[in-house]
Amino acid sequence: MTPNDTENAARAYEPEAAEGAPASAPGAAPTADALAALEAEKLDLKDKLLRTLADMENLRRRTEREVTDARTYAVTNFARDMLNAADNVRRALESVPADARASAEGPLKALVDGIELTERDLLKTLERHGVKRVDPQGQRFDPNLHQAMFEVPNPDVTSGTVVQVVQSGYVIGDRVLRPALVGVAKGGPKAEAKPAEG
């Protein structure tokens, strides 16, 4: 190998500078294009990070809400089945005439008291688990909580007032478990409109 061959080999490994651009020495400041690219990448990564943090916060809130709903409404099917038992206890009490209940003595009085105690205990147990009875007697008809079965003509009561409860309704949390079956008052004749003064 000749000395010229060694020089040519060394030159082959040297990086060639781009035409018109000065060769950058080690430690030289990056170009404006490189800075702009890095700045854009930084902004993109910051945006992605903020979006990921927002998504994680939304996921945490949604999970908390789902867990709360699961706790509140987990007993819905069981509670709906227990409403039949509550209705039967109420029917048993209503089947005893009021005068017989007032004058009851001995075993009949013990039976009526036992049924009343059972009903109170059943309703307290349901309430402990978030199920509450809706008794809309005298309230304004609410289609979200009540189901109208019939209208009762009554000029003394405001139209749309619940005047009879056929079957009690129940709610669990803020949801209707079963609407109350009600009779709604149909008010008297409407007041005539005053003639326009001309």
Side-chain angles (χ1 to χ4, degrees):
M1 201 179 233
T2 63
N4 285 340
D5 290 338
T6 310
E7 285 178 21
N8 291 335
R11 281 191 201 134
Y13 291 109
E14 288 179 3
E16 292 185 21
E19 287 185 23
S24 60
T31 64
D33 290 342
L35 281 176
L38 288 173
E39 186 67 25
E41 184 179 357
K42 179 186 95 167
L43 291 174
D44 183 50
L45 291 173
K46 183 178 179 182
D47 182 58
K48 287 180 182 176
L49 173 68
L50 292 175
R51 288 178 187 273
T52 302
L53 289 173
D55 286 345
M56 293 306 295
E57 182 64 20
N58 289 339
L59 177 64
R60 184 187 64 78
R61 287 183 187 154
R62 186 170 52 247
T63 303
E64 283 178 359
R65 190 170 43 247
E66 288 172 358
V67 167
T68 302
D69 284 353
R71 282 189 192 129
T72 302
Y73 304 113
V75 297
T76 298
N77 289 334
F78 177 72
R80 194 171 284 126
D81 291 341
M82 291 305 298
L83 297 184
N84 290 331
D87 291 340
N88 289 335
V89 170
R90 172 65 11 209
R91 286 185 196 105
L93 285 172
E94 290 172 352
S95 69
V96 178
D99 57 343
R101 192 183 312 178
S103 64
E105 292 183 12
L108 180 61
K109 180 165 178 41
L111 177 66
V112 170
D113 290 346
I115 294 173
E116 287 175 344
L117 179 65
T118 303
E119 182 185 39
R120 280 195 306 270
D121 191 39
L122 178 60
L123 293 176
K124 281 182 189 174
T125 303
L126 288 172
E127 280 189 32
R128 239 189 346 263
H129 293 281
V131 179
K132 294 179 184 163
R133 183 162 55 176
V134 175
D135 187 17
Q137 184 75 33
Q139 297 177 1
R140 183 109 179 107
F141 176 75
D142 181 357
N144 298 315
L145 296 173
H146 314 138
Q147 181 176 346
M149 301 302 292
F150 51 87
E151 288 185 331
V152 178
N154 189 339
D156 300 331
V157 180
T158 307
S159 185
T161 301
V162 175
V163 292
Q164 186 176 350
V165 178
V166 177
Q167 186 179 53
S168 294
Y170 290 85
V171 293
I172 182 168
D174 58 353
R175 297 181 187 170
V176 175
L177 189 60
R178 182 180 78 190
L181 304 180
V182 298
V184 181
K186 184 177 181 183
K190 303 258 184 216
E192 291 183 24
K194 293 181 182 178
E197 293 180 11

